[in-house]
Amino acid sequence: MLLHLTLIIPLCVLAKSLGSWAYPVTSDSQAILDSGRKDARVLILGGGVAGVIAARTLHEQGIDDFIIVEARPELGGRMISHRLGDQWTVEVGANWVQGTQTGDGPANPIWNLAKKHNISLRSSDYFGNVATYDHSGPNDFQRTFQESIRNFDRLTATAGARVPQRLVAMTARSGYSLSGTRPNTPHEMASEYYQFDWEFGATPEETSWRSASASSHLERYPHATWGCACGDGSFWWRLASSDGGAELIVLQAHNNTFRTFSRQNLLSIDQRGFKTAIQEEAEAFLVDQQLRLNATVATVRTSNEGVSVVLTDGVKISADYALCTFSLGVLQHDDVQFIPPLPTWKQEAIHSMAMMALYADHERGRYPVWQSLDHESFYPGCGILFVTVTGDYSRRIESMTDGAVQAEIIAVLQVMFPSAAIPDPLDFYFQRWYSDPLFRGSYSNWPANFLSEHQANLRANVDERLWFAGEATSKKHFGEWTVCVV
């Protein structure tokens, strides 16, 4: 038997085109000077999806004087795969294409990228076949599970009503309580976890209730009237139009990719690794002098003359501009020194944002979501189990040895299957996202105190020299790796 533990649901990076990296923030004293020879016009700090797509956008605009600086030995960022049991390649980072295309509607650019590079994908239904277990072994609490879906739809739909009414920002836990949902039993808590924590990577106590709504649209129309759609967690807004009529806009209060593209979930089972999509995309236009691998940034210095980057090995690289695509966690942990320090408004924005069997334990969040990859559509005969934990529990197990974590997982499996003899696994692995200085977490999340102004500041540039991109900078797709090329 093989076990594969992932610390947080793997969805990652968002990339923006050059023209929409940030809202311009200028300084009256800013002067465009060019003293001395520079290595490139643009430095792209980070070779994940955001960095590669930014480089591709520059290339398409006829700008090839750039260098991607990547700390790892390969491109892909949080698209990381692992060879398990010397036989199977599994994903420990980005794992799914969420939403593909409906009819002649817009296509998910990640879907297009996966098709272009022949990534092997299989349908993965979150809700189609969920077996339920608790401390007594197999236990059917499907009615409770189905009720949790309705509770989540009600939570996300009613969140949107608070925005035009200028109501105080609250946690999603408060939202659940106000909508009449108060889970108490292990079955109720595990079901809620499946709907909420597994999606957002954090508890309702840690997450903004209002961030589930499409606030970017609603703030423009403070006098809109609203209503709820049925069953899909969406809501509508009726807006006054210039001719005196009304415009009806339907907005998704939850994962926007499902609403925009389709409800389909596709899991990568490609034995080259899901990262192949972005690596082959980069190979099509990059040349050797445009890429520096195994190059960890230690210092970023900005001035009127440009940007200078010093690597941990002492090598210095300079350019007119830099695009920083570091994960939010790296910025929060001060793993890179900025000289001069980032402005107060930028630091406040950075530190304001938070980074298929169901088991109901008495302790909420204790190894609750299990998926078997031993399926005819995935890896038949592999014997791989994939279990997910999130938030504080993921940080807890990162501090433990692999052996201690493995022992806990075996104990949970023994409870789930009391009549079976659970053997030790042939192989075992989990990615320590939070403690890895190159990531400091797997994706971002909006806490209750994170305001729209913080989000604008997070993606804003500094003196038109240092720009920012990545999934955390998107109001529409934060926490996802949907590539938005404008």
Side-chain angles (χ1 to χ4, degrees):
M1 178 182 63
L2 303 177
L3 297 181
H4 175 209
L5 171 65
T6 177
L7 294 186
I8 199 164
I9 183 172
L11 303 166
C12 284
V13 190
L14 174 109
K16 288 290 185 181
S17 71
L18 178 62
S20 62
W21 285 336
Y23 301 116
V25 178
T26 61
S27 169
D28 293 338
S29 62
Q30 180 70 52
I32 306 300
L33 302 175
D34 184 13
S35 62
R37 179 183 175 279
K38 295 185 174 67
D39 297 286
R41 186 179 178 190
V42 180
L43 295 180
I44 300 173
L45 308 181
V49 176
V52 171
I53 296 303
R56 188 188 71 180
T57 303
L58 290 174
H59 172 73
E60 291 171 345
Q61 297 299 316
I63 302 172
D64 288 305
D65 190 10
F66 60 81
I67 299 174
I68 298 177
V69 182
E70 167 57 41
R72 299 184 69 243
E74 62 179 0
L75 293 174
R78 286 170 278 185
M79 300 180 73
I80 298 178
S81 56
H82 177 75
R83 195 71 175 169
L84 199 62
D86 294 325
Q87 185 177 3
W88 306 98
T89 296
V90 295
E91 303 301 328
V92 297
N95 211 338
W96 280 275
V97 176
Q98 290 199 306
T100 54
Q101 186 177 18
T102 301
D104 296 327
N108 187 336
I110 296 299
W111 166 234
N112 288 337
L113 198 64
K115 290 190 296 181
K116 178 179 179 180
H117 299 290
N118 299 310
I119 301 299
S120 296
L121 302 167
R122 296 292 185 271
S123 179
S124 175
D125 188 353
Y126 282 179
F127 305 106
N129 185 20
V130 179
T132 53
Y133 302 80
D134 63 12
H135 64 281
S136 64
N139 191 324
D140 184 358
F141 53 92
Q142 286 291 338
R143 292 183 62 180
T144 300
F145 182 76
Q146 294 300 319
E147 181 63 25
S148 74
I149 298 175
R150 292 187 288 272
N151 292 339
F152 183 80
D153 286 346
R154 186 163 57 246
L155 172 80
T156 54
T158 55
R162 302 181 63 80
V163 178
Q165 298 179 56
R166 308 289 182 179
L167 297 178
V168 175
M170 302 178 72
T171 66
R173 173 58 65 210
S174 297
Y176 265 126
S177 296
L178 289 174
S179 61
T181 302
R182 299 176 180 85
N184 293 310
T185 69
H187 295 172
E188 292 170 343
M189 290 188 290
S191 298
E192 180 191 77
Y193 182 102
Y194 194 95
Q195 312 303 325
F196 194 95
D197 301 45
W198 198 35
E199 175 63 31
F200 291 98
T203 66
E205 288 81 3
E206 298 170 304
T207 304
S208 168
W209 183 19
R210 192 169 61 181
S211 72
S213 69
S215 57
S216 58
H217 295 272
L218 307 180
E219 289 171 347
R220 295 166 48 200
Y221 307 103
H223 302 297
T225 57
W226 76 285
C228 291
C230 296
D232 65 350
S234 64
F235 53 91
W236 55 258
W237 298 90
R238 192 172 298 279
L239 313 173
S241 60
S242 57
D243 60 3
E247 178 185 8
L248 185 67
I249 297 180
V250 179
L251 301 172
Q252 181 67 15
H254 178 32
N255 192 324
N256 192 69
T257 59
F258 290 139
R259 189 60 163 175
T260 303
F261 306 119
S262 75
R263 297 294 300 178
Q264 189 173 22
N265 263 310
L266 297 178
L267 179 73
S268 172
I269 62 167
D270 201 295
Q271 291 303 287
R272 299 168 297 168
F274 203 5
K275 60 192 175 186
T276 301
I278 202 66
Q279 291 175 349
E280 290 191 351
E281 188 70 10
E283 288 176 3
F285 66 89
L286 281 183
V287 295
D288 289 346
Q289 58 264 35
Q290 292 174 321
L291 177 61
R292 299 199 184 184
L293 298 174
N294 297 302
T296 303
V297 175
T299 302
V300 179
R301 184 185 297 270
T302 57
S303 71
N304 289 343
E305 298 176 357
V307 182
S308 175
V309 169
V310 178
L311 306 180
T312 54
D313 61 5
V315 172
K316 180 179 177 181
I317 312 173
S318 61
D320 293 320
Y321 308 95
L323 172 67
C324 178
T325 71
F326 299 147
S327 75
L328 180 70
V330 169
L331 296 176
Q332 290 176 335
H333 280 77
D334 298 325
D335 291 302
V336 177
Q337 182 183 14
F338 290 89
I339 305 174
L342 294 176
T344 301
W345 53 264
K346 172 66 76 172
Q347 294 190 45
E348 180 179 331
I350 289 171
H351 289 282
S352 294
M353 200 170 190
M355 211 47 192
M356 293 290 185
L358 183 61
Y359 169 65
D361 193 89
H362 290 288
E363 181 181 358
R364 189 183 188 279
R366 184 171 184 266
Y367 306 109
V369 180
W370 295 76
Q371 296 167 272
S372 173
L373 299 184
D374 192 347
H375 186 277
E376 61 182 9
S377 296
F378 300 152
Y379 308 128
C382 70
I384 299 174
L385 291 177
F386 187 97
V387 57
T388 302
V389 296
T390 59
D392 288 341
Y393 209 90
S394 69
R395 288 187 283 272
R396 168 189 171 272
I397 69 170
E398 282 201 25
S399 67
M400 300 165 57
T401 66
D402 284 12
V405 177
Q406 177 180 309
E408 287 193 347
I409 291 174
I410 294 296
V412 170
L413 283 171
Q414 193 64 71
V415 170
M416 294 170 65
F417 302 97
S419 60
I422 306 298
D424 287 336
L426 301 177
D427 199 357
F428 173 82
Y429 179 80
F430 69 93
Q431 180 77 17
R432 285 176 163 84
W433 287 108
Y434 186 76
S435 54
D436 190 326
L438 300 184
F439 302 110
R440 300 297 189 185
S442 58
Y443 62 91
S444 62
N445 185 44
W446 280 32
N449 61 348
F450 190 74
L451 306 177
S452 295
E453 291 81 3
H454 287 139
Q455 199 281 330
N457 286 341
L458 186 62
R459 60 189 302 263
N461 71 75
V462 177
D463 288 332
E464 295 189 342
R465 290 290 182 183
L466 183 60
W467 299 69
F468 292 82
E471 53 87 9
T473 65
S474 172
K475 181 176 290 187
K476 190 175 183 180
H477 291 287
F478 67 90
E480 303 170 15
W481 74 293
T482 300
V483 183
C484 297
V485 181
V486 181

